[in-house]
């Protein structure tokens, strides 16, 4: 049976999405809604003296909200309490919200926004994290350091002396824009004593806490309904809390529903990006190629406020060595404040950055040793039971070497590499100035721990609920949002299979906090793995109940089971079953950022990419991509394959086309999709996705989480392919035509 | 966007009358609407031209020349057999504009009169973007996509219309219609170089719109070659269009026009001189490319365009002569 032949449920809301009848937030009928907008800073750092309101504008037509109007705490909190919802006197980044305006229509709103002029006193701004660490310009705390995570195993510093070869390289990976199809959007309506929020988001319960804190009302007075959301990629993890708070403040002030829908340019300029990362990697090896010692410095530009930076840094630090074994490791990971807009969550969450460094660094090590980089990897890959630098042992059934072999086999890597080597030597495409078309093939391993790290996963205490109906159907109640990845379809399938009902007898909808328990955020590839396992647990309680009431036979036939459920409901049984996340092992409460058993399981991947380069025009074409993923059981192959395609495309864009340019104030200069180039269909080759999931191993009984994994491989694989084609190792992304054509390109500066 | 008055025109005459100062003509809208959404352009009145039947269509043939009316969609230009066979420089460039969806909407006139893509301009700083203390934002800032010719002046953006380049190479003429009647100019005369933000990059008179473009009879050989960042949904980084007339094997007359290097389509007289009286080979084509680059003065981040310029000219010349540029 091939993967495509499996009996797969249809995407839950496919036809509604296709016909355009599934509403997104801006499709909600206007019920006297006012339009909300944001007055933003044009400087990177300074003091807000006051806001000058033009006397030529009739301000009675609109409402204005400033920090002084906030009834609760003027804070947006992910971890640190450093970010105000509206400027509290100090401006720390370009685009920072200074005030809010609501108007009956969009044009009047625009006029009003233009009639406000912030009077500011600029302060020196710092955009380089290394400059920032000198502390001359104070942004956060005493030293501008959001967090430092040291991880140490063995005695790396001592060990280098006894290594045969030591290789040291520096790497840079850039910011990246999420470019979700639907921009950020939120609607706030006054409801009872509180407020109702509807909008585009990943984490409804984050908004409950955030809006309650801002308005100074109990969380029970905030109701949040996630709408169908047009893409998130981590960009709708923390930011919607800010936007929901703004919409709620305006609704409270004008007494009407307020909708705030960002334009593309506002969205790109004002919301979070992937953290730019500077990574220094030093490895000591034996002559035979064994990794003996490693030293890593990871520096993330967190932007002006901490937001999710500590969490991203934690994942980067925990994955910094990749799936390799080394007994002496010293890692220093730092997230640093600068006057850039805050950087936040983005698919991969720190992993793409460190994997890029690791996988391009290994090639440099192989070159220095004069060995095949594939063999160097194979020699050093971890096996089950091997310890990671922070102490966790790689779990049973987790074999990076198997993933590597599968990738080599499926991509015919060694054959293709030999063919390309030969072809590059005797290129048919010649000019008088020499060969210009070069090809290259490259490979990269990557891994991704599922869920939040053990400390935070434990502190969330996720709960799911199953509730049976009088018809014998079962509602799945979780806080997981649907933003294109197929949450509703996958969770329904897990419920159907776990309970034993037909897929059509499972009811699931977009989460509404008035109805669903807090099953945690829709992030960290945790939906099918963590939340799915809770659904499975609640389902087994439901089955046990039916077995007790109707006998064993009832639970093995979907029709009899449905009838038995209906009969229990009509008989007065409550028929509500919950499950709550409780980690099996004791998590060290002191170890927030690098707990010894950081993740319950690790998904693995290997990407092989082949490129074609015109060395005279600098055009780089990716001609073939193989993605081999081991993410435990695959719930829905079609959705999983789509995740791999989407992730690979995002990885190709990060590697080749997506160059974020900053303006003089540290904001995004190219805040439009015609200037910030995401790959088009013509830039993407056929992507071959393959899952290791049909083996007779405990590992493949449950899903491990796949959402982020595929983003992490193409960057380093493409860089390695480009290195083979050009003989120059890209140390920075994106690899641009400018860099290929001559070293005069901006990437070299 | 700012609210505007909407006027639908059904004849050129009506359109010209409706295009009062502060108005903008709307055909495909693929550039105008985005500028309006971003408040780069905020017309008081928008005049809808898509119902003007006398503005759409292609007529003529290779022997007598071809006239393309201004409202003709790019997809229709691509569907034209005569354009494809006699004017491959134009056909090739048209085929590489944006995406199929945009080519179905965008018009020839809109392409020729699109506004520059310079990100300082699109962020509201004008075509000559300067800080309050007089620093040129493009000269001092991120200028990787800016001009490498005419950089002693203050207009450092690059001209956005890729179709203007082959049309100028082919010697096309533009017919404009306005309150004072019709007039015909060379396509290159549609453009000028502004010296301040109050000046227009277009040399049209108030109220004038483009009616048609006429390409003279096809005599020699022509071709275009683009170097790109993305393979679709993007503008070229650098592109060359060439149009050659031959006397036997040797080039008797040449036009070489380049995109992406100056605030106007850049006619390289140096390359034209260099290829004249030569047989097209990779060597002679490359010499022409070298000649074209001689006067280039790149800014701090766009030196790469100089070598791209040489490559696209070499390849366009080789392609036009039917030589594959990779065969030495």
């Amino acid at each position: 049976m091939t993967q495509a032949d499996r009996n797969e449920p249809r995407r839950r809301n496919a036809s509604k999405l296709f016909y355009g009848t599934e509403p997104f937030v801006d499709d909600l009928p206007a019920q006297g809604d006012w339009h909300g907008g944001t007055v933003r800073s044009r400087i990177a750092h300074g003091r807000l003296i006051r806001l000058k309101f033009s006397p030529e504008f009739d301000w009675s037509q609109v409402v204005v909200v400033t920090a002084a109007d906030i009834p609760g705490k003027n804070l947006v909190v992910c971890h640190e309490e450093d970010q105000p919802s509206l400027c509290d006197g100090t401006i720390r980044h370009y685009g920072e919200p200074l005030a809010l305006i609501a108007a009956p229509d969009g044009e009047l709103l625009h006029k009003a926004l233009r009639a406000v002029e912030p009077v500011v006193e600029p302060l020196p701004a710092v955009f380089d994290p290394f400059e920032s660490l000198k502390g001359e310009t104070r942004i956060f705390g005493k030293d501008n350091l959001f967090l430092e995570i040291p991880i140490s195993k063995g005695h790396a510093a001592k060990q280098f002396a006894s290594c045969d070869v030591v290789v040291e390289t520096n790497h840079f990976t850039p910011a990246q824009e999420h470019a979700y199809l639907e921009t950020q959007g939120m609607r706030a309506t006054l409801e009872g004593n509180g407020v109702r929020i509807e909008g585009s988001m990943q984490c409804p319960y984050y908004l409950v806490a955030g809006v309650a804190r801002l308005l100074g009302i109990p969380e029970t007075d905030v109701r949040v309904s996630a709408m169908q959301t047009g893409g998130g990629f981590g960009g709708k993890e923390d930011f919607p809390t800010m936007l929901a708070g703004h919409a709620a403040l305006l609704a409270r002030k004008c007494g009407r529903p307020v909708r705030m829908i960002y334009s593309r340019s506002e969205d790109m300029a004002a919301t979070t990006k992937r953290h730019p990362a500077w990574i220094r990697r030093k490895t000591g090896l034996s002559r035979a190629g064994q990794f003996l010692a490693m030293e890593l410095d990871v520096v993330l530009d967190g932007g002006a406020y901490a937001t999710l930076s500590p969490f991203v840094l934690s994942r980067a630090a925990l994955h910094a060595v990749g799936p390799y074994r080394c007994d002496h490791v010293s890692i220093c990971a730092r997230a640093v404040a600068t006057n850039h807009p805050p950087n936040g969550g983005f698919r991969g969450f720190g992993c793409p950055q460190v994997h890029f460094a690791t996988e391009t660094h290994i090639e440099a090590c192989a070159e220095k040793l004069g060995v095949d980089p594939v063999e160097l990897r194979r020699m050093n890959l971890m096996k089950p039971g091997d310890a990671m630098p922070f102490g966790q042992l790689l779990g049973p059934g987790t074999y990076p070497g198997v993933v590597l072999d599968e990738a080599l086999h499926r991509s015919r890597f060694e054959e293709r590499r030999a063919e390309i080597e030969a072809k590059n030597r005797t290129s048919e495409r010649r000019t008088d100035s020499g060969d210009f078309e070069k090809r290259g093939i490259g490979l990269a391993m990557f891994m991704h721990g599922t869920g939040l790290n053990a400390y935070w996963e434990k502190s969330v205490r996720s709960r799911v609920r199953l509730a049976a109906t009088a018809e014998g159907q079962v509602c799945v109640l979780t806080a997981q949002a649907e933003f294109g990845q197929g949450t509703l379809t996958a969770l329904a399938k897990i419920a159907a299979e776990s309970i034993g009902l037909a897929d059509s007898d499972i009811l699931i909808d977009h989460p509404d906090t008035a109805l669903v328990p807090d099953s945690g955020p829709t992030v960290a590839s945790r939906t099918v793995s963590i939340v799915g396992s809770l659904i499975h647990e609640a389902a087994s309680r439901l089955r046990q109940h039916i077995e007790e009431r109707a006998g064993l036979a009832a639970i093995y036939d979907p029709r009899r089971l449905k009838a038995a459920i209906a009969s229990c409901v009509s008989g007065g049984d409550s028929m509500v079953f919950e499950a709550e996340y409780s980690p099996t092992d004791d998590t060290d409460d002191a170890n927030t950022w690098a707990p010894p058993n950081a993740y319950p399981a690790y998904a693995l991947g290997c990407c092989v990419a082949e490129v074609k380069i015109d060395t005279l025009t600098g055009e780089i074409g990716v001609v073939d991509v193989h993605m081999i993923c081991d993410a435990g059981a695959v719930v829905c192959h079609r959705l999983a394959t789509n995740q791999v395609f989407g992730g690979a495309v995002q990885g190709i864009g990060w590697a080749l086309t997506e160059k974020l340019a900053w303006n003089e104030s540290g904001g995004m200069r190219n805040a439009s999709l015609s200037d910030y180039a995401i790959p088009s269909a013509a830039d993407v080759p056929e992507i071959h996705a393959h899952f290791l999931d049909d083996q007779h191993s405990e590992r493949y009984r449950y899903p491990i989480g796949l959402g982020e994994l595929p983003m992490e491989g193409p960057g380093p694989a493409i860089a390695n392919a480009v290195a083979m084609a050009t003989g120059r190792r890209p140390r920075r992304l994106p690899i641009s035509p400018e860099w290929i054509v001559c070293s005069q390109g901006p990437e070299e500066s | 966007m700012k609210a505007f008055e909407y006027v639908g025109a059904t004849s050129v005459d009506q359109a010209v009358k409706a295009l009062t100062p502060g108005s903008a003509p709307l055909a495909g809208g693929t550039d105008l609407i985005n500028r309006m959404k971003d408040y780069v352009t905020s017309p008081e009145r928008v005049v809808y031209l898509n119902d003007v039947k006398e503005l759409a269509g292609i007529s003529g043939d290779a022997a007598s020349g071809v006239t393309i009316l201004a409202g003709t969609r790019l997809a229709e230009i691509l569907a034209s057999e005569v354009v494809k066979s006699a004017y491959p420089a134009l056909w090739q460039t048209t085929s590489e504009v944006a995406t199929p969806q945009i080519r179905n909407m965008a018009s020839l006139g809109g392409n020729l009169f699109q506004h520059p893509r310079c990100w300082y301009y699109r962020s509201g700083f004008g075509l000559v973007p300067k800080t309050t203390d007089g620093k040129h934002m493009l000269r001092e800032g991120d200028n990787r996509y800016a001009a490498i010719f005419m950089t002693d002046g203050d207009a450092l953006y690059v001209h956005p219309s890729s179709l203007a380049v082959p049309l100028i190479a082919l010697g096309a003429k533009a017919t404009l219609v306005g309150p004072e009647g019709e007039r015909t100019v060379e396509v290159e005369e549609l453009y000028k170089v502004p010296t301040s933000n109050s000046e227009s990059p277009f040399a049209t008179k108030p109220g004038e719109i483009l009616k048609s473009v006429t390409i003279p009879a096809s005599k020699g050989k022509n071709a275009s070659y683009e170097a790109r960042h993305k393979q679709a949904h993007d503008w070229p980084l650098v592109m060359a269009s060439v149009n050659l007339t031959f006397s036997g094997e040797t080039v008797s007359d040449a036009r070489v026009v380049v995109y992406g290097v100056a605030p106007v389509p850049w006619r390289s007289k140096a390359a034209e001189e260099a290829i004249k009286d030569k047989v097209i080979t990779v060597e002679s084509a490359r010499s022409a490319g070298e000649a074209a680059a001689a006067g280039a003065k790149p800014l701090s981040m766009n030196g790469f365009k100089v070598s791209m310029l040489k490559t696209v000219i070499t390849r366009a010349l080789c392609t036009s002569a039917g030589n594959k540029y990779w065969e030495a």
Side-chain angles (χ1 to χ4, degrees):
Chain A
M1 186 167 73
T2 67
Q3 293 184 353
D5 291 334
R6 290 171 206 235
N7 184 23
E8 299 253 323
R10 287 182 58 175
R11 184 183 276 268
R12 280 264 156 171
N13 45 0
S15 63
K16 283 169 87 181
L17 285 167
F18 183 80
Y19 289 108
T21 53
E22 175 82 64
F24 293 74
V25 59
D26 204 22
D27 299 325
L28 290 171
Q31 293 164 328
D33 289 23
W34 279 28
H35 297 257
T38 313
V39 179
R40 295 185 184 279
S41 156
R42 310 291 291 181
I43 63 165
H45 195 198
R47 270 184 277 278
L48 176 63
I49 309 296
R50 64 190 172 88
L51 294 166
K52 206 163 100 186
F53 293 90
S54 165
E56 278 155 38
F57 186 82
D58 176 4
W59 291 98
S60 69
Q61 309 169 89
V62 302
V63 298
V64 178
V65 165
T66 66
D69 294 298
I70 295 173
K73 288 185 179 165
N74 182 13
L75 281 176
V76 183
V77 182
C78 288
H79 179 62
E80 298 289 348
E81 297 197 344
D82 62 334
Q83 186 176 22
S85 175
L86 290 171
C87 179
D88 57 1
T90 304
I91 294 165
R92 294 183 184 84
H93 68 86
Y94 178 89
E96 182 155 4
L98 308 179
L100 305 166
I101 298 176
D105 66 74
E107 196 196 345
L108 192 63
L109 171 66
H110 183 76
K111 280 186 185 151
L113 289 168
R114 288 195 158 191
V116 187
E117 193 194 322
V119 180
V120 298
E121 183 190 323
L123 292 168
V126 59
F127 303 119
D128 177 294
F130 298 95
E131 279 298 310
S132 176
L133 281 172
K134 292 178 187 163
E136 286 160 21
T137 299
R138 175 110 31 119
I139 304 163
F140 177 87
K142 277 181 274 181
D143 50 9
N144 292 343
L145 191 61
F146 287 130
L147 182 65
E148 176 169 336
I149 303 175
I151 294 175
S152 177
K153 175 189 176 190
H155 307 281
K158 254 194 253 169
Q159 195 66 25
F160 278 110
S162 57
C163 295
D164 296 324
V165 173
V166 176
V167 178
E168 186 170 346
T169 51
N170 288 291
H171 310 262
F172 170 76
T173 63
Q176 186 179 22
E177 157 64 27
H178 303 88
Y180 28 65
L181 205 55
E182 181 203 23
T183 58
Q184 304 266 0
M186 213 59 76
R187 178 173 188 258
T189 316
L190 300 178
E191 206 175 74
N193 294 327
V195 64
R196 166 99 183 264
I197 302 288
E198 297 158 287
S200 184
M201 69 188 78
Q202 293 179 221
C203 314
Y205 272 95
Y206 283 8
L207 275 63
V208 171
V211 172
R213 185 188 299 113
L214 191 71
L215 297 188
I217 58 176
E219 291 190 3
T220 45
D221 284 342
V222 181
R223 177 180 175 189
V224 176
S225 311
M227 305 286 299
Q228 170 68 44
T229 291
F233 310 114
K236 291 174 185 167
E237 176 173 356
D238 60 320
F239 196 85
T241 308
M242 163 87 83
L243 187 56
H246 288 175
L249 287 170
L250 284 170
R252 196 179 145 271
K253 182 111 180 209
C254 73
R256 295 163 182 279
V258 169
R259 64 177 69 195
M260 296 185 77
I261 312 291
Y262 282 179
S263 69
R264 179 64 64 183
S265 52
E266 181 174 25
D267 191 295
M268 292 178 87
T271 68
T272 59
K273 304 282 170 281
R274 183 185 299 289
H275 288 77
W278 289 257
I279 299 169
R280 184 182 68 86
R281 230 182 175 290
K282 183 175 161 188
T283 301
L285 303 95
S286 70
R287 185 73 60 207
Q290 194 189 348
F291 293 156
L292 299 177
M294 283 187 188
E295 201 175 87
L296 295 101
D297 281 317
V298 179
V299 171
L300 300 184
D301 176 354
Y305 297 108
T307 68
L308 291 164
S309 290
F311 301 89
V312 175
L313 186 75
S314 163
R315 188 175 282 276
L318 295 170
H319 290 76
V321 169
Y324 301 100
R325 200 172 45 236
C326 185
D327 290 336
H328 301 276
V329 179
S330 167
I331 299 168
C332 174
R334 290 172 291 175
V336 181
T338 67
N339 291 113
H340 279 136
N343 293 308
F346 195 145
R347 194 182 209 166
F349 214 73
C351 283
Q353 292 96 319
V354 293
H355 291 325
F356 173 75
T358 300
E359 293 297 315
T360 54
H361 173 80
I362 284 179
E363 302 263 327
C365 293
E367 189 176 62
K368 184 90 178 267
L369 275 174
V371 300
D372 180 348
V374 175
E375 288 313 310
L376 186 65
R377 284 184 176 87
R378 196 196 307 280
M379 187 186 304
N380 290 288
L381 281 172
M382 284 194 293
K383 293 186 198 61
D386 283 343
M388 296 182 224
F390 49 93
Q392 183 166 17
L393 305 183
L394 199 64
T398 312
Y399 286 100
V402 172
V403 179
L404 175 65
D405 286 339
E406 189 71 24
L408 294 173
H409 166 68
R410 290 199 170 260
S411 65
R412 295 170 49 239
F413 181 84
E414 275 152 359
E415 238 176 298
R416 279 301 294 151
R417 187 169 60 174
E419 285 166 15
I420 290 168
E421 265 166 5
K423 192 162 187 284
N424 279 351
R425 276 196 300 272
T426 59
S427 175
E428 291 161 14
R429 301 194 149 200
R430 298 175 64 85
T431 63
D432 55 336
S433 59
D435 302 345
F436 71 82
E437 189 189 290
K438 300 284 188 194
R439 284 187 180 241
I441 188 167
L443 171 150
M445 298 289 299
F446 44 102
M447 67 193 287
H448 196 94
T450 193
L452 309 173
N453 88 32
Y455 175 88
W456 293 105
E457 198 62 73
K458 182 180 162 190
S459 65
V460 169
R461 295 229 163 274
S462 298
R463 280 184 304 127
V464 306
R465 189 179 300 145
L466 299 178
T469 69
E471 290 74 34
Q473 296 180 312
V474 175
C475 298
V476 178
L477 300 167
T478 79
Q480 265 39 61
E482 167 68 57
F483 40 94
Q485 79 286 46
T487 296
L488 302 182
T489 313
L491 293 185
K493 184 167 186 238
I494 290 172
E497 289 178 355
S498 304
I499 298 167
L501 281 175
D503 196 70
S504 54
D505 285 324
I506 302 297
L507 309 175
I508 188 166
D509 205 349
H510 300 295
D512 180 334
T513 58
L515 306 170
V516 301
D518 184 359
S519 53
T522 317
V523 302
S525 310
R526 67 188 290 281
T527 297
V528 296
S529 55
I530 307 288
V531 180
S533 72
L534 295 178
I535 290 174
H536 186 74
E537 198 182 316
S540 63
R541 290 193 184 132
L542 186 149
R543 282 168 68 93
Q544 197 183 345
H545 183 87
I546 297 296
E547 190 185 327
E548 283 163 11
R549 289 301 176 98
L552 192 59
I555 62 173
Y556 288 108
D557 177 70
R559 274 172 302 179
R560 286 184 66 181
L561 179 59
K562 187 177 174 183
I565 293 171
S567 135
C568 284
V569 173
S570 58
D573 291 4
S574 91
M575 292 303 283
V576 172
F577 301 89
E578 289 204 350
E580 182 173 316
Y581 185 79
S582 53
T584 46
D585 52 352
D586 281 338
T587 306
D588 176 1
D589 279 352
N591 211 335
T592 319
W593 304 111
N597 284 319
Y599 300 101
Y602 290 82
L604 303 168
C606 183
C607 173
V608 175
E610 190 175 324
V611 301
K612 181 176 78 175
I613 297 177
D614 184 323
T615 51
L616 295 183
T617 62
E619 288 162 291
I620 308 171
V622 181
V623 293
D624 201 17
V625 170
H626 287 265
M627 297 284 292
I628 312 300
C629 299
D630 173 354
V634 174
V635 179
C636 300
H637 269 88
R638 208 180 294 133
L639 292 177
T641 304
N642 290 346
Q643 285 281 20
V644 174
F645 290 167
V649 172
Q650 224 156 19
I652 291 171
W654 189 56
L656 294 179
T657 63
E658 299 187 32
K659 174 80 190 180
L660 205 141
W662 304 106
N663 64 24
E664 296 68 22
S665 303
M668 189 174 179
R669 157 73 60 226
N670 48 348
S672 83
L673 287 174
S674 48
D675 292 326
Y676 179 83
I678 60 172
S680 66
D683 298 300
V684 177
E686 187 173 351
I687 294 164
H688 309 272
H690 181 76
F691 301 98
L692 295 175
D693 75 331
D694 47 4
Q695 307 188 3
H696 302 287
S697 152
E698 175 71 16
R699 178 171 166 87
Y700 300 100
R701 284 188 58 206
Y702 300 102
I704 295 176
L706 180 71
E708 295 168 273
L709 186 76
M711 157 69 217
E712 299 169 10
I718 289 169
N720 290 337
V722 168
M724 179 181 176
T726 62
R728 291 160 68 203
R729 293 201 176 283
R731 297 272 185 245
R732 304 169 68 92
L733 295 180
I735 308 161
S736 63
E738 297 97 288
W739 186 80
I740 298 289
V741 167
C742 59
S743 56
Q744 214 184 336
E747 270 65 48
E748 293 287 304
S749 60
Chain B
M1 68 176 70
K2 186 168 167 286
F4 55 86
E5 185 191 5
Y6 174 87
V7 177
T10 53
S11 69
V12 169
D13 195 39
Q14 274 183 5
V16 168
K17 286 205 176 83
L19 282 163
T20 49
S23 306
L26 171 69
T30 57
D31 183 40
L32 176 68
I33 300 293
N34 285 321
R35 273 187 279 125
M36 289 169 68
K37 279 159 78 174
D38 289 341
Y39 292 90
V40 174
T41 304
S42 296
E44 297 295 328
R45 172 188 279 187
V46 167
V47 180
Y48 185 71
L49 299 179
N50 289 326
D51 292 334
V52 182
K53 293 206 170 55
E54 45 194 309
L55 278 181
I58 302 174
S59 59
D61 54 43
S64 58
V66 164
T67 294
I68 307 174
L69 295 169
T72 308
R73 307 291 152 186
L74 302 193
E76 293 170 59
I77 298 176
L78 283 179
S80 160
E81 280 303 320
V82 58
V83 172
K84 188 173 184 180
S85 59
Y87 307 106
L90 176 62
W91 190 88
Q92 179 68 28
T93 306
T94 309
S95 76
E96 296 187 271
V97 171
T99 64
Q101 292 93 326
I102 289 175
R103 293 194 294 268
N104 285 337
M105 291 297 291
S107 67
L108 174 67
N111 183 284
L112 292 175
F113 285 91
Q114 67 182 296
H115 285 213
R117 303 302 314 172
C118 171
W119 48 38
Y120 295 90
Y121 174 69
R122 296 271 165 174
S123 306
F125 296 102
L127 289 170
V128 182
K130 289 189 176 173
T131 57
T132 44
D133 53 356
K135 274 192 199 160
H136 198 298
M137 296 165 100
L138 203 46
R139 193 182 298 284
E140 314 261 329
D142 194 326
N143 51 39
R144 79 190 70 200
Y145 303 125
I148 56 171
F149 288 105
M150 306 174 83
T151 50
D152 292 335
D154 272 349
L156 301 175
Y157 64 86
V158 297
H159 193 267
S161 168
S162 58
L163 297 193
V165 173
L167 287 172
I168 292 169
L170 294 166
K173 289 184 165 44
T175 299
L176 298 158
V177 55
E180 295 167 26
E182 276 189 20
R183 65 187 181 110
T184 296
V185 298
E186 301 284 337
V187 170
E188 52 188 314
E189 289 168 355
L190 295 175
Y191 308 116
K192 61 188 172 83
V193 180
T195 55
S196 75
N197 279 340
S198 58
E199 291 178 34
S200 164
F202 304 112
T204 47
K205 294 178 185 167
E208 270 187 339
I209 54 167
L210 182 74
K211 187 178 171 193
S212 63
V213 170
T214 300
I215 312 171
S218 160
K219 287 189 199 122
K221 292 175 172 175
N222 62 81
S224 295
Y225 191 91
E226 287 189 13
R228 310 173 62 96
H229 193 185
K230 282 169 61 179
Q231 294 309 305
H233 218 153
D234 203 0
W235 287 258
L237 285 167
V238 183
M239 177 189 79
S241 292
V242 301
N243 185 22
L244 308 174
T245 316
F246 288 88
S247 164
E249 288 275 291
T250 60
V251 175
S252 57
D253 192 30
R255 276 205 182 213
V256 178
V257 188
V258 188
Y259 174 99
V261 295
V264 289
W266 179 252
R267 178 124 179 236
S268 177
K269 295 270 167 68
E272 292 173 3
E273 283 301 315
I275 202 67
K276 204 176 167 196
D277 301 327
K278 303 275 182 3
V279 176
I280 302 275
T281 62
V282 171
E283 290 77 11
S284 66
R286 186 125 199 109
S287 304
E290 293 287 343
K297 283 191 192 168
L299 302 171
S300 58
M301 292 166 83
N302 63 0
F304 70 94
K305 280 194 174 183
V306 178
S307 74
M308 276 188 191
L309 165 75
K310 296 175 192 172
T311 302
V312 297
I313 289 177
T314 307
R315 292 185 184 180
L317 285 168
C318 289
T319 305
S320 74
N323 298 343
K324 285 183 176 161
Y325 46 84
W326 55 84
E327 286 172 355

